[in-house]
Amino acid sequence: MSTKVVAPIMLAALTAMSVSAFAASQTKTGDVKSTDAAKHELTLANGDTFEVGSHVKLDKIKAGDKVAITFDTKDGKMIASKVHLSK
């Protein structure tokens, strides 16, 4: 293959790999500052606020609990997919 064919293919592959890396879920741990079941929000002591789905049972999480949160960022908001109590 010539360089004229290989270069665009390599560029496309690198772009696809970098985009998928940014789409990966992240995990953050911390102490819970507050929860708001009506708004489906959880706020950590450091000020980070997460939107949580209705499948996350916020009634079992209280201020002071240590949690691990798996989340994605969408439109500038942190959207939690999992919230686990941690030690």
Side-chain angles (χ1 to χ4, degrees):
M1 285 187 162
S2 72
T3 305
K4 288 182 179 182
V5 173
V6 173
I9 292 171
M10 292 298 293
L11 181 60
L14 288 172
T15 302
M17 288 177 8
S18 65
V19 169
S20 65
F22 286 115
S25 293
Q26 301 175 34
T27 301
K28 190 171 277 203
T29 59
D31 295 328
V32 175
K33 177 180 179 181
S34 65
T35 61
D36 187 331
K39 291 183 179 180
H40 299 285
E41 289 183 345
L42 181 145
T43 303
L44 295 179
N46 69 0
D48 289 341
T49 299
F50 299 85
E51 287 186 18
V52 298
S54 57
H55 67 280
V56 175
K57 305 298 181 203
L58 287 177
D59 58 335
K60 297 182 184 227
I61 301 169
K62 61 185 183 308
D65 285 345
K66 289 190 179 290
V67 293
I69 302 171
T70 302
F71 69 96
D72 294 301
T73 303
K74 183 176 181 183
D75 298 328
K77 297 178 182 179
M78 292 183 284
I79 312 296
S81 56
K82 295 179 187 175
V83 179
H84 296 283
L85 292 174
S86 62
K87 296 180 181 186

Coordinates of all heavy atoms in Angstrom, one line a residue:
M1 N 0.8 -1.2 0.0 CA 0.0 0.0 0.0 C 0.9 1.2 0.0 O 1.9 1.3 0.6 CB -0.9 0.1 1.2 CG -2.0 -0.9 1.2 SD -3.0 -0.5 2.7 CE -4.5 -1.3 2.2
S2 N 0.4 2.3 -0.6 CA 1.1 3.5 -0.7 C 0.9 4.3 0.6 O -0.1 4.1 1.3 CB 0.8 4.3 -1.9 OG -0.5 4.8 -1.8
T3 N 1.7 5.3 0.8 CA 1.6 6.2 1.9 C 0.3 7.0 1.8 O -0.3 7.3 2.8 CB 2.8 7.2 2.0 OG1 4.0 6.4 2.0 CG2 2.8 8.1 3.2
K4 N -0.1 7.3 0.6 CA -1.4 8.1 0.4 C -2.6 7.3 0.9 O -3.6 7.9 1.3 CB -1.6 8.4 -1.0 CG -0.6 9.5 -1.5 CD -0.9 9.8 -3.0 CE 0.1 10.9 -3.5 NZ -0.2 11.3 -4.8
V5 N -2.5 6.0 1.0 CA -3.6 5.2 1.4 C -3.5 4.9 2.9 O -4.4 4.9 3.7 CB -3.7 3.9 0.6 CG1 -4.7 2.9 1.2 CG2 -4.0 4.2 -0.8
V6 N -2.2 4.6 3.3 CA -2.0 4.1 4.7 C -2.2 5.3 5.7 O -2.8 5.1 6.8 CB -0.6 3.5 4.8 CG1 -0.3 3.2 6.3 CG2 -0.5 2.2 4.0
A7 N -1.7 6.5 5.4 CA -1.8 7.6 6.3 C -3.2 7.9 6.7 O -3.5 8.1 7.9 CB -1.1 8.8 5.7
P8 N -4.1 8.1 5.8 CA -5.5 8.3 6.3 C -6.1 7.2 7.1 O -6.9 7.5 8.1 CB -6.3 8.5 5.0 CG -5.3 8.8 3.9 CD -4.0 8.1 4.4
I9 N -5.8 6.0 6.8 CA -6.3 4.8 7.6 C -5.7 4.9 9.0 O -6.4 4.7 10.0 CB -5.9 3.5 6.9 CG1 -6.7 3.4 5.6 CG2 -6.2 2.3 7.8 CD1 -6.3 2.2 4.7
M10 N -4.4 5.2 9.1 CA -3.8 5.3 10.5 C -4.4 6.4 11.3 O -4.7 6.3 12.4 CB -2.3 5.5 10.3 CG -1.6 4.2 9.8 SD -1.8 2.8 10.9 CE -0.9 3.3 12.3
L11 N -4.6 7.6 10.6 CA -5.2 8.7 11.3 C -6.6 8.4 11.8 O -7.0 8.8 12.9 CB -5.2 9.9 10.3 CG -5.8 11.2 10.9 CD1 -5.0 11.7 12.1 CD2 -5.8 12.3 9.8
A12 N -7.4 7.7 10.9 CA -8.8 7.4 11.3 C -8.7 6.4 12.5 O -9.5 6.5 13.5 CB -9.5 6.7 10.2
A13 N -7.8 5.5 12.5 CA -7.7 4.5 13.6 C -7.3 5.2 14.9 O -7.9 4.9 16.0 CB -6.7 3.4 13.3
L14 N -6.3 6.1 14.8 CA -5.9 6.8 16.0 C -7.0 7.7 16.6 O -7.2 7.8 17.8 CB -4.7 7.7 15.7 CG -3.4 6.9 15.5 CD1 -2.3 7.8 15.1 CD2 -3.0 6.2 16.8
T15 N -7.8 8.3 15.7 CA -8.9 9.2 16.1 C -9.9 8.3 16.8 O -10.5 8.7 17.9 CB -9.5 9.9 14.9 OG1 -8.5 10.7 14.3 CG2 -10.7 10.8 15.4
A16 N -10.3 7.2 16.3 CA -11.3 6.3 16.9 C -10.8 5.8 18.2 O -11.6 5.8 19.2 CB -11.6 5.1 15.9
M17 N -9.6 5.5 18.4 CA -9.1 5.0 19.7 C -9.1 6.1 20.7 O -9.5 5.9 21.9 CB -7.6 4.5 19.5 CG -7.6 3.2 18.8 SD -6.0 2.4 18.4 CE -4.8 3.4 19.3
S18 N -8.8 7.4 20.4 CA -8.8 8.4 21.3 C -10.2 8.8 21.7 O -10.4 9.1 22.9 CB -8.0 9.7 20.8 OG -8.7 10.2 19.7
V19 N -11.1 8.8 20.8 CA -12.5 9.1 21.2 C -13.1 8.0 22.1 O -13.7 8.3 23.1 CB -13.4 9.2 19.9 CG1 -14.9 9.2 20.2 CG2 -13.0 10.4 19.1
S20 N -12.8 6.8 21.9 CA -13.3 5.7 22.8 C -12.7 5.8 24.2 O -13.3 5.5 25.2 CB -13.1 4.3 22.2 OG -11.7 4.0 22.1
A21 N -11.5 6.3 24.3 CA -10.8 6.5 25.6 C -11.5 7.5 26.4 O -11.7 7.4 27.6 CB -9.3 6.8 25.4
F22 N -12.0 8.6 25.7 CA -12.7 9.6 26.5 C -14.1 9.2 26.9 O -14.7 9.7 27.8 CB -12.8 10.9 25.6 CG -11.5 11.6 25.5 CD1 -10.9 11.8 24.3 CD2 -11.0 12.2 26.7 CE1 -9.7 12.5 24.2 CE2 -9.8 12.9 26.6 CZ -9.1 13.0 25.4
A23 N -14.7 8.2 26.2 CA -16.0 7.7 26.5 C -16.1 6.7 27.6 O -17.1 6.3 28.0 CB -16.6 7.1 25.2
A24 N -14.9 6.3 28.1 CA -14.9 5.3 29.1 C -15.4 5.8 30.4 O -15.2 7.0 30.8 CB -13.5 4.8 29.3
S25 N -16.1 5.0 31.2 CA -16.6 5.4 32.5 C -15.4 5.6 33.5 O -14.3 5.1 33.3 CB -17.4 4.2 33.1 OG -18.6 4.1 32.4
Q26 N -15.6 6.5 34.4 CA -14.7 6.8 35.4 C -15.2 6.4 36.8 O -16.4 6.2 37.0 CB -14.4 8.3 35.4 CG -13.9 8.8 34.1 CD -13.8 10.4 34.1 OE1 -13.5 11.0 35.1 NE2 -14.1 11.0 33.0
T27 N -14.3 6.3 37.8 CA -14.7 6.0 39.1 C -14.1 7.1 40.1 O -13.0 7.5 39.9 CB -14.2 4.6 39.5 OG1 -14.7 3.7 38.7 CG2 -14.6 4.3 41.0
K28 N -14.9 7.5 41.0 CA -14.5 8.5 42.0 C -14.9 8.0 43.4 O -16.0 7.4 43.5 CB -15.1 9.8 41.7 CG -14.5 10.9 42.5 CD -14.9 12.3 42.0 CE -14.0 12.7 40.8 NZ -14.0 14.1 40.6
T29 N -14.1 8.2 44.4 CA -14.5 7.8 45.7 C -14.5 9.0 46.6 O -13.8 10.0 46.3 CB -13.5 6.7 46.3 OG1 -12.2 7.3 46.3 CG2 -13.5 5.4 45.5
G30 N -15.3 9.0 47.7 CA -15.3 10.1 48.6 C -16.4 9.9 49.6 O -17.1 8.9 49.7
D31 N -16.5 10.9 50.5 CA -17.5 10.9 51.6 C -18.7 11.6 51.1 O -18.6 12.7 50.5 CB -16.9 11.6 52.8 CG -15.8 10.8 53.5 OD1 -15.8 9.6 53.4 OD2 -14.9 11.5 54.0
V32 N -19.9 11.1 51.4 CA -21.1 11.7 51.0 C -21.4 13.0 51.8 O -21.4 12.9 53.1 CB -22.3 10.7 51.1 CG1 -23.6 11.4 50.8 CG2 -22.1 9.5 50.2
K33 N -21.7 14.1 51.2 CA -22.1 15.3 51.9 C -23.6 15.3 52.0 O -24.1 15.6 53.1 CB -21.6 16.5 51.1 CG -22.1 17.8 51.7 CD -21.6 19.0 51.0 CE -22.0 20.3 51.6 NZ -21.6 21.5 50.8
S34 N -24.3 15.0 50.9 CA -25.8 15.0 51.0 C -26.3 14.2 49.8 O -25.6 13.9 48.8 CB -26.3 16.4 50.9 OG -26.0 17.0 49.7
T35 N -27.6 13.8 49.9 CA -28.3 13.1 48.9 C -29.7 13.8 48.7 O -30.2 14.4 49.7 CB -28.6 11.6 49.1 OG1 -29.3 11.5 50.3 CG2 -27.3 10.9 49.2
D36 N -30.2 13.8 47.5 CA -31.5 14.4 47.3 C -32.3 13.4 46.4 O -32.1 13.4 45.2 CB -31.4 15.8 46.6 CG -32.7 16.5 46.5 OD1 -33.8 15.8 46.4 OD2 -32.7 17.7 46.5
A37 N -33.1 12.6 47.0 CA -33.8 11.5 46.2 C -34.8 12.1 45.2 O -35.0 11.6 44.2 CB -34.6 10.6 47.2
A38 N -35.4 13.3 45.6 CA -36.4 13.9 44.7 C -35.7 14.4 43.4 O -36.3 14.3 42.3 CB -37.0 15.1 45.4
K39 N -34.4 14.9 43.5 CA -33.7 15.4 42.4 C -32.8 14.3 41.8 O -32.1 14.6 40.8 CB -32.8 16.6 42.7 CG -33.6 17.8 43.1 CD -32.6 19.0 43.4 CE -33.3 20.3 43.7 NZ -32.4 21.4 43.9
H40 N -32.7 13.2 42.4 CA -31.8 12.1 42.0 C -30.4 12.6 41.9 O -29.6 12.4 41.0 CB -32.2 11.5 40.6 CG -33.6 10.9 40.6 ND1 -33.8 9.7 41.2 CD2 -34.7 11.4 40.2 CE1 -35.1 9.4 41.1 NE2 -35.7 10.4 40.5
E41 N -29.9 13.2 43.0 CA -28.6 13.8 43.1 C -27.8 13.3 44.4 O -28.5 13.1 45.4 CB -28.6 15.3 43.2 CG -29.0 16.0 41.9 CD -28.9 17.5 42.0 OE1 -28.8 18.1 43.1 OE2 -29.0 18.1 40.9
L42 N -26.5 13.2 44.2 CA -25.7 12.8 45.3 C -24.5 13.8 45.3 O -23.9 14.0 44.2 CB -25.2 11.4 45.2 CG -24.3 10.8 46.3 CD1 -24.5 9.4 46.5 CD2 -22.8 11.1 45.9
T43 N -24.2 14.4 46.4 CA -23.0 15.3 46.5 C -22.0 14.8 47.4 O -22.3 14.4 48.5 CB -23.5 16.7 46.9 OG1 -24.6 17.2 46.0 CG2 -22.4 17.7 47.0
L44 N -20.7 14.8 47.0 CA -19.6 14.4 47.8 C -19.1 15.6 48.6 O -19.4 16.8 48.3 CB -18.5 13.9 47.0 CG -18.8 12.6 46.2 CD1 -17.5 12.2 45.3 CD2 -19.1 11.5 47.1
A45 N -18.4 15.3 49.7 CA -17.8 16.3 50.6 C -16.9 17.3 49.8 O -16.9 18.5 50.2 CB -17.0 15.7 51.7
N46 N -16.3 16.9 48.7 CA -15.5 17.8 47.9 C -16.3 18.7 47.0 O -15.7 19.5 46.3 CB -14.4 17.0 47.1 CG -15.0 16.2 46.0 OD1 -16.2 16.2 45.8 ND2 -14.2 15.5 45.3
G47 N -17.6 18.6 47.0 CA -18.5 19.4 46.2 C -18.9 18.8 44.8 O -19.8 19.4 44.2
D48 N -18.3 17.7 44.5 CA -18.8 17.0 43.2 C -20.2 16.5 43.4 O -20.5 15.9 44.3 CB -17.9 15.8 42.9 CG -16.5 16.2 42.4 OD1 -16.3 17.4 42.0 OD2 -15.6 15.4 42.5
T49 N -21.0 16.9 42.4 CA -22.4 16.5 42.4 C -22.7 15.6 41.2 O -22.3 15.9 40.1 CB -23.4 17.7 42.3 OG1 -23.1 18.5 43.5 CG2 -24.8 17.3 42.3
F50 N -23.4 14.5 41.5 CA -23.7 13.4 40.5 C -25.2 13.3 40.3 O -25.9 13.3 41.3 CB -23.1 12.1 40.9 CG -21.6 12.1 41.1 CD1 -21.0 12.5 42.2 CD2 -20.8 11.7 40.0 CE1 -19.6 12.5 42.4 CE2 -19.4 11.7 40.1 CZ -18.8 12.1 41.3
E51 N -25.6 13.2 39.1 CA -27.0 12.8 38.8 C -27.0 11.2 38.9 O -26.1 10.6 38.4 CB -27.5 13.2 37.5 CG -27.7 14.7 37.4 CD -28.3 15.1 36.0 OE1 -28.8 14.2 35.3 OE2 -28.2 16.3 35.7
V52 N -28.0 10.7 39.5 CA -28.1 9.2 39.6 C -29.4 8.8 39.1 O -30.4 9.5 39.2 CB -27.9 8.7 41.1 CG1 -26.6 9.1 41.6 CG2 -29.0 9.3 42.0
G53 N -29.5 7.6 38.5 CA -30.7 7.0 38.0 C -31.6 6.6 39.1 O -31.2 6.4 40.2
S54 N -32.8 6.3 38.7 CA -33.8 5.9 39.7 C -33.5 4.5 40.2 O -34.0 4.1 41.3 CB -35.2 5.9 39.1 OG -35.3 5.1 38.0
H55 N -32.6 3.7 39.5 CA -32.2 2.4 40.0 C -31.3 2.4 41.1 O -31.1 1.5 41.8 CB -31.6 1.6 38.8 CG -30.3 2.2 38.3 ND1 -30.3 3.3 37.5 CD2 -29.1 1.8 38.6 CE1 -29.0 3.5 37.3 NE2 -28.2 2.7 37.9
V56 N -30.7 3.6 41.4 CA -29.8 3.8 42.5 C -30.6 4.1 43.8 O -31.4 5.1 43.7 CB -28.7 4.9 42.3 CG1 -27.8 5.1 43.5 CG2 -27.8 4.5 41.1
K57 N -30.5 3.3 44.8 CA -31.3 3.5 46.0 C -30.6 4.5 47.0 O -29.8 4.1 47.8 CB -31.6 2.2 46.7 CG -32.2 1.1 45.8 CD -33.5 1.6 45.3 CE -34.2 0.5 44.5 NZ -35.1 1.0 43.6
L58 N -31.0 5.8 46.8 CA -30.3 6.8 47.6 C -30.8 6.8 49.1 O -30.1 7.3 50.0 CB -30.6 8.2 47.1 CG -29.9 8.6 45.8 CD1 -30.3 10.0 45.3 CD2 -28.4 8.5 46.0
D59 N -31.9 6.1 49.4 CA -32.4 6.0 50.7 C -31.5 5.2 51.6 O -31.5 5.3 52.8 CB -33.8 5.5 50.8 CG -34.0 4.1 50.2 OD1 -33.2 3.8 49.3 OD2 -34.9 3.4 50.5
K60 N -30.6 4.4 51.0 CA -29.7 3.5 51.7 C -28.3 4.2 51.9 O -27.4 3.7 52.6 CB -29.4 2.2 51.0 CG -30.7 1.4 50.9 CD -30.5 0.1 50.2 CE -31.8 -0.6 50.1 NZ -31.8 -2.0 50.5
I61 N -28.2 5.4 51.4 CA -26.9 6.2 51.5 C -27.1 7.4 52.3 O -28.1 8.2 52.0 CB -26.4 6.5 50.1 CG1 -26.2 5.2 49.3 CG2 -25.1 7.3 50.1 CD1 -25.9 5.5 47.8
K62 N -26.3 7.7 53.3 CA -26.5 8.9 54.1 C -25.2 9.7 54.2 O -24.1 9.2 53.8 CB -26.9 8.5 55.5 CG -26.0 7.6 56.3 CD -26.6 7.1 57.6 CE -25.7 6.3 58.4 NZ -25.0 5.2 57.8
A63 N -25.3 10.9 54.7 CA -24.2 11.8 54.8 C -23.1 11.1 55.7 O -23.4 10.5 56.7 CB -24.6 13.1 55.4
G64 N -21.9 11.2 55.3 CA -20.8 10.6 56.0 C -20.3 9.3 55.5 O -19.2 8.8 55.8
D65 N -21.2 8.6 54.7 CA -20.9 7.3 54.1 C -19.7 7.5 53.1 O -19.7 8.5 52.4 CB -22.1 6.7 53.4 CG -23.1 6.1 54.4 OD1 -22.8 5.9 55.6 OD2 -24.2 5.8 53.9
K66 N -18.8 6.5 53.0 CA -17.8 6.5 52.0 C -18.4 5.7 50.8 O -19.0 4.6 51.0 CB -16.6 5.8 52.5 CG -15.8 6.6 53.5 CD -14.4 6.0 53.7 CE -13.6 6.8 54.7 NZ -13.1 8.0 54.2
V67 N -18.3 6.3 49.6 CA -18.8 5.6 48.4 C -17.8 5.6 47.3 O -16.9 6.4 47.3 CB -20.1 6.3 47.9 CG1 -21.3 6.2 48.9 CG2 -19.9 7.8 47.6
A68 N -18.0 4.7 46.4 CA -17.3 4.6 45.1 C -18.4 4.8 44.0 O -19.4 4.1 44.0 CB -16.6 3.3 45.0
I69 N -18.2 5.7 43.2 CA -19.2 6.1 42.1 C -18.6 5.8 40.8 O -17.5 6.3 40.5 CB -19.6 7.6 42.3 CG1 -20.2 7.8 43.7 CG2 -20.6 7.9 41.2 CD1 -20.4 9.3 44.0
T70 N -19.3 5.1 40.0 CA -18.9 4.9 38.6 C -19.8 5.8 37.8 O -21.0 5.8 37.9 CB -19.1 3.4 38.1 OG1 -18.4 2.6 39.0 CG2 -18.7 3.2 36.7
F71 N -19.1 6.6 36.9 CA -19.9 7.7 36.2 C -19.4 8.0 34.8 O -18.2 7.6 34.5 CB -20.0 9.0 37.1 CG -18.6 9.7 37.2 CD1 -18.3 10.7 36.3 CD2 -17.7 9.3 38.1 CE1 -17.1 11.3 36.4 CE2 -16.5 9.9 38.2 CZ -16.2 10.9 37.4
D72 N -20.2 8.6 34.0 CA -19.8 9.1 32.7 C -20.1 10.6 32.8 O -21.0 11.0 33.5 CB -20.6 8.5 31.6 CG -20.2 7.0 31.5 OD1 -19.0 6.7 31.2 OD2 -21.1 6.1 31.6
T73 N -19.4 11.4 32.0 CA -19.7 12.8 31.9 C -20.5 13.0 30.6 O -20.0 12.6 29.5 CB -18.4 13.6 31.9 OG1 -17.7 13.3 33.1 CG2 -18.7 15.1 31.8
K74 N -21.6 13.7 30.7 CA -22.4 13.9 29.5 C -23.0 15.4 29.6 O -23.6 15.7 30.6 CB -23.6 13.0 29.4 CG -24.5 13.1 28.2 CD -25.5 12.1 28.1 CE -26.3 12.3 26.8 NZ -27.4 11.3 26.7
D75 N -22.7 16.2 28.6 CA -23.2 17.6 28.6 C -22.7 18.3 29.8 O -23.4 19.1 30.4 CB -24.7 17.7 28.4 CG -25.2 17.1 27.1 OD1 -24.5 17.1 26.1 OD2 -26.3 16.5 27.1
G76 N -21.5 18.0 30.3 CA -20.9 18.7 31.4 C -21.4 18.2 32.8 O -21.0 18.8 33.8
K77 N -22.3 17.2 32.8 CA -22.8 16.7 34.0 C -22.2 15.3 34.3 O -22.0 14.5 33.4 CB -24.3 16.6 34.0 CG -25.0 17.9 33.8 CD -26.5 17.7 33.8 CE -27.2 19.1 33.6 NZ -28.6 18.9 33.5
M78 N -22.0 15.0 35.6 CA -21.5 13.7 35.9 C -22.7 12.8 36.2 O -23.5 13.1 37.1 CB -20.6 13.7 37.1 CG -19.3 14.4 36.8 SD -18.1 14.5 38.2 CE -18.8 15.8 39.2
I79 N -22.9 11.7 35.4 CA -24.0 10.9 35.5 C -23.6 9.5 36.1 O -22.8 8.8 35.5 CB -24.7 10.6 34.1 CG1 -24.9 11.9 33.4 CG2 -25.9 9.8 34.3 CD1 -25.9 12.9 34.0
A80 N -24.0 9.2 37.3 CA -23.6 8.0 38.0 C -24.4 6.8 37.5 O -25.6 6.9 37.4 CB -23.8 8.1 39.5
S81 N -23.7 5.7 37.2 CA -24.4 4.5 36.8 C -24.4 3.5 37.9 O -25.2 2.6 38.0 CB -23.7 3.9 35.6 OG -22.3 3.7 35.8
K82 N -23.4 3.6 38.8 CA -23.3 2.8 40.0 C -22.8 3.6 41.2 O -21.9 4.4 41.1 CB -22.3 1.6 39.8 CG -22.7 0.7 38.7 CD -21.7 -0.4 38.5 CE -22.0 -1.3 37.3 NZ -20.9 -2.3 37.1
V83 N -23.4 3.3 42.4 CA -22.9 3.9 43.6 C -22.8 2.7 44.6 O -23.8 2.0 44.9 CB -23.9 4.9 44.1 CG1 -23.4 5.5 45.5 CG2 -24.1 6.1 43.1
H84 N -21.6 2.5 45.1 CA -21.4 1.4 46.1 C -20.8 2.0 47.4 O -19.9 2.9 47.3 CB -20.4 0.4 45.5 CG -20.8 -0.3 44.3 ND1 -21.8 -1.3 44.4 CD2 -20.5 -0.1 43.0 CE1 -22.0 -1.8 43.2 NE2 -21.3 -1.1 42.3
L85 N -21.3 1.5 48.5 CA -20.7 1.9 49.8 C -19.3 1.2 49.8 O -19.1 0.1 49.4 CB -21.5 1.3 51.0 CG -22.9 2.0 51.1 CD1 -23.6 1.3 52.2 CD2 -22.7 3.5 51.5
S86 N -18.3 2.0 50.3 CA -16.9 1.4 50.4 C -16.4 1.6 51.8 O -17.0 2.3 52.6 CB -16.0 2.1 49.4 OG -15.9 3.5 49.6
K87 N -15.3 1.0 52.1 CA -14.7 1.1 53.4 C -13.5 2.0 53.5 O -12.9 2.4 52.6 CB -14.3 -0.3 53.9 CG -15.5 -1.2 54.1 CD -15.0 -2.5 54.5 CE -16.3 -3.4 54.6 NZ -16.0 -4.7 55.2

